[in-house]
Amino acid sequence: GQQLNQSPQSMFIQEGEDVSMNCTSSSIFNTWLWYKQDPGEGPVLLIALYKAGELTSNGRLTAQFGITRKDSFLNISASIPSDVGIYFCAGSTSGTYKYIFGTGTRLKVLA
Amino acid sequence: DGGITQSPKYLFRKEGQNVTLSCEQNLNHDAMYWYRQDPGQGLRLIYYSQIVNDFQKGDIAEGYSVSREKKESFPLTVTSAQKNPTAFYLCASGTGAGYTFGSGTRLTVV
């Protein structure tokens, strides 16, 4: 089955640093979602994007819906230890309830 | 509070046994999904259902079965035909605006 490519696969950063990750697809999507998964838990929705070029923030998190509609970006500013986890992107075409998930970016924050 | 509940949190299965994982939601979502997650891996779709009494195979349906007799419930049975069932299983419900996930069931074969 199709999966979206997320980059980087994993990253170690120092507390206080900014983080950037992206997600790319060979297909055009109409909706992009970003989730965070803590160890042993289910993913939790962080940000939803519904329009090409849209930029949406949620606290220290900012996500953008790429102009080509084939990519999306997530930025975390001033990282803190609780940002540790796996970040997943997900995309969907219009008229479907089925989302395709990315391979995940594993973030580790060094205090 | 509306949400999605998976049970049990941990499940142990002997070789050759069938086990059923429970998933219940009170979000009034039409669509429900089952995913499998292996260590260090992403989410792989097992089965999904967009309406009661109907469901479709996902990417890795072999060795699994589901039912959707009620809108609120979408149980997953891991059968003895699934040769490598040890994994973290996630249930989700959703609309076109996105999914809500349960907290997962960790299944281990002993």
Side-chain angles (χ1 to χ4, degrees):
Chain A
Q2 181 184 2
Q3 281 198 319
L4 305 177
N5 292 317
Q6 281 188 247
S7 178
Q9 287 188 345
S10 63
M11 55 196 314
F12 286 83
I13 61 169
Q14 292 286 339
E15 183 176 358
E17 288 185 348
D18 296 343
V19 175
S20 293
M21 61 188 78
N22 67 72
C23 191
T24 59
S25 167
S26 57
S27 304
I28 290 175
F29 289 131
N30 291 307
T31 305
W32 282 97
L33 307 175
W34 283 94
Y35 287 87
K36 182 194 177 201
Q37 184 181 29
D38 290 327
E41 297 295 327
V44 174
L45 183 64
L46 298 173
I47 292 178
L49 302 160
Y50 301 110
K51 191 167 62 175
E54 181 180 357
L55 187 72
T56 298
S57 294
N58 178 6
R60 294 179 295 106
L61 278 61
T62 302
Q64 185 164 23
F65 195 138
I67 292 293
T68 66
R69 295 165 64 193
K70 291 184 176 182
D71 54 10
S72 182
F73 309 89
L74 176 70
N75 295 314
I76 305 173
S77 63
S79 58
I80 59 178
S82 62
D83 290 334
V84 165
I86 305 175
Y87 291 80
F88 289 103
C89 61
S92 174
T93 54
S94 62
T96 75
Y97 284 11
K98 192 176 171 190
Y99 279 83
I100 298 169
F101 281 81
T103 48
T105 292
R106 286 148 187 80
L107 180 64
K108 298 187 180 180
V109 179
L110 305 174
Chain B
D1 283 341
I4 183 165
T5 301
Q6 290 187 243
S7 62
K9 182 68 174 175
Y10 299 95
L11 186 58
F12 296 89
R13 189 194 96 167
K14 293 183 179 179
E15 295 277 356
Q17 277 186 340
N18 293 352
V19 291
T20 297
L21 284 60
S22 171
C23 179
E24 303 277 335
Q25 55 102 356
N26 60 3
L27 298 166
N28 200 33
H29 289 163
D30 287 319
M32 297 187 73
Y33 309 82
W34 275 104
Y35 287 90
R36 170 178 172 144
Q37 187 176 30
D38 293 289
Q41 302 295 315
L43 307 177
R44 292 189 290 169
L45 183 63
I46 304 172
Y47 269 98
Y48 65 102
S49 168
Q50 295 187 325
I51 196 169
V52 173
N53 292 323
D54 188 46
F55 48 83
Q56 286 77 41
K57 293 181 179 180
D59 302 318
I60 56 166
E62 185 174 351
Y64 300 97
S65 66
V66 294
S67 63
R68 187 86 187 276
E69 298 177 359
K70 300 186 301 181
K71 187 175 185 177
E72 300 79 15
S73 179
F74 191 41
L76 173 74
T77 297
V78 184
T79 74
S80 57
Q82 171 50 243
K83 297 307 178 187
N84 185 23
T86 294
F88 189 52
Y89 291 87
L90 286 161
C91 178
S93 70
T95 67
Y99 294 175
T100 300
F101 282 89
S103 58
T105 293
R106 186 166 299 280
L107 173 63
T108 304
V109 173
V110 296

